[in-house]
Amino acid sequence: MTDTRGTTDPENWKPLELRPESGRTGAAGIREVLTGIGDFGELLAREKAVVFRDFDVAERDVETAMDLLLPNRLAYTHGTSPRTKLGGNLYTSTEYPQHMTIAMHNELSYSHHWPERLFFYCATTPGSGGATPVVDGGLWLDSLDEEVRDAFAAGIRYTQNLHDGFGLGRGWRQTFETDDRAVVEAFLDQGEFDWKWMPDGGLRVISPIRPATLKHPHSGTEVWFNQADHFHPAALGDETARELAQILPAEELPQSVTFADGGPIPDAYVRHVHDRGLEVAVDVDWRQGDLMVIDNVAVGHGRRPFGGDRRVLVAMSG
């Protein structure tokens, strides 16, 4: 095995890259590397993100690789991004148009139960661009202006309006991967959400107050950990936000966010968080057969725009 060492210094952090040394590739090569490492969980806790380069894992072997790297795989329950489920709790990565940048975020940080690890697999090399930027959550927090950090200190509250099959955004069946209202209600009650079935069959969900930052359970480092910029209309761009505001009042948007006291979050704060996260991120470029595993609390991730084909699959674990 050869590796390109990452660093735990936030200013110079980058993912650890591992490569095969014996010539053995595929899932068998990864198993060989992991045998030499010992406890992969300890390695990931230290390095925050690990990239497996040149192992040339075939798509038919992805499940085997996931079994090695991603115990206790989770469904994408309460997810907000458009994805296609491929089986075995493996999904396509976010299916937003390829010209769009997907800003930095920690998966499901707005919910009450988020994955500890995320797994990425490149099935098709991007024609151009298409990197997955990753950002050290402590560095992201430190990069924000003090005024912004202070404003978010009391926490935030998210609102979702999930349609019954037709409408803007996602429907509640997509979001919770079920047709059973009782299953949805049990999930929301467990998370202490305020929820209401609407006359048109849709579902309004209001979160309890969520923290804007979180202390990592192992390192104790405080990290930026929320998706305020993803839920805020300002993240859509001025023109789209204006068009939505003409159609719907704020409380009826597919998703929105306020400060803990219900006060509006200024557009400038949202753009600041969005821009700083992307500015301090490190791009992970993709080649077919590459894998990456990240600590979902320590590290945020996103997507750069791309041209041509790009197919990256994702999975997550508790």
Side-chain angles (χ1 to χ4, degrees):
M1 175 193 71
T2 59
D3 63 57
T4 303
R5 286 290 167 189
T7 173
T8 54
D9 172 15
E11 291 287 341
N12 299 298
W13 176 82
K14 62 181 181 180
L16 172 69
E17 293 193 355
L18 300 176
R19 289 181 166 84
E21 192 171 72
S22 68
R24 182 175 294 177
T25 57
I30 291 176
R31 182 181 289 107
E32 182 179 66
V33 167
L34 294 177
T35 299
I37 288 172
D39 189 334
F40 179 71
E42 289 185 4
L43 178 73
L44 185 63
R46 183 174 69 249
E47 301 292 345
K48 305 175 187 176
V50 179
V51 180
F52 293 82
R53 296 282 193 202
D54 302 330
F55 285 88
D56 296 324
V57 176
E59 188 168 345
R60 64 178 179 273
D61 294 329
V62 169
E63 292 271 356
T64 302
M66 287 196 295
D67 289 342
L68 297 170
L69 297 166
L70 204 71
N72 307 315
R73 291 198 294 279
L74 302 174
Y76 187 52
T77 304
H78 202 186
T80 59
S81 296
R83 303 179 189 270
T84 300
K85 189 171 185 176
L86 303 176
N89 287 338
L90 179 68
Y91 299 80
T92 58
S93 58
T94 303
E95 295 170 355
Y96 283 120
Q98 61 192 60
H99 69 277
M100 294 177 62
T101 296
I102 298 174
M104 309 310 296
H105 61 286
N106 305 81
E107 206 65 50
L108 294 168
S109 58
Y110 51 85
S111 195
H112 63 291
H113 183 52
W114 50 78
E116 295 179 4
R117 297 182 190 180
L118 300 183
F119 170 98
F120 300 81
Y121 166 74
C122 180
T124 303
T125 306
S128 62
T132 294
V134 289
V135 63
D136 182 291
L139 177 61
W140 191 4
L141 176 61
D142 291 343
S143 76
L144 300 177
D145 291 347
E146 185 176 0
E147 176 185 346
V148 174
R149 294 198 303 268
D150 289 347
F152 278 87
I156 54 181
R157 194 186 295 272
Y158 303 94
T159 297
Q160 294 171 280
N161 288 296
L162 305 170
H163 60 72
D164 191 32
F166 300 97
L168 292 173
R170 286 168 68 83
W172 62 266
R173 292 177 177 83
Q174 279 181 301
T175 298
F176 297 103
E177 294 192 354
T178 182
D179 293 325
D180 190 335
R181 287 190 175 200
V183 171
V184 175
E185 293 169 3
F187 178 91
L188 295 174
D189 286 342
Q190 182 185 46
E192 300 181 349
F193 291 88
D194 182 7
W195 55 268
K196 178 182 179 182
W197 293 105
M198 308 302 288
D200 64 0
L203 175 65
R204 177 169 293 170
V205 178
I206 303 174
S207 75
I209 296 171
R210 295 281 186 232
T213 66
L214 199 68
K215 286 194 174 181
H216 193 278
H218 300 299
S219 69
T221 301
E222 187 176 11
V223 298
W224 189 251
F225 192 80
N226 68 81
Q227 285 178 236
D229 57 323
H230 283 239
F231 274 68
H232 197 288
L236 300 172
D238 292 340
E239 183 177 346
T240 304
R242 278 196 300 270
E243 291 175 354
L244 275 176
Q246 292 172 356
I247 300 170
L248 295 170
E251 66 272 13
E252 293 183 15
L253 291 170
Q255 54 190 43
S256 57
V257 62
T258 66
F259 286 126
D261 63 2
I265 301 175
D267 291 4
Y269 288 2
V270 171
R271 288 192 287 266
H272 177 71
V273 169
H274 173 280
D275 293 347
R276 287 292 173 88
L278 287 165
E279 286 167 6
V280 298
V282 177
D283 283 355
V284 176
D285 294 313
W286 289 112
R287 188 181 69 83
Q288 186 175 358
D290 287 346
L291 305 173
M292 177 169 65
V293 182
I294 68 173
D295 180 322
N296 184 48
V297 175
V299 174
H301 68 283
R303 189 200 70 188
R304 301 292 186 184
F306 65 95
D309 295 328
R310 178 190 189 270
R311 189 163 181 261
V312 174
L313 309 181
V314 299
M316 56 199 77
S317 71

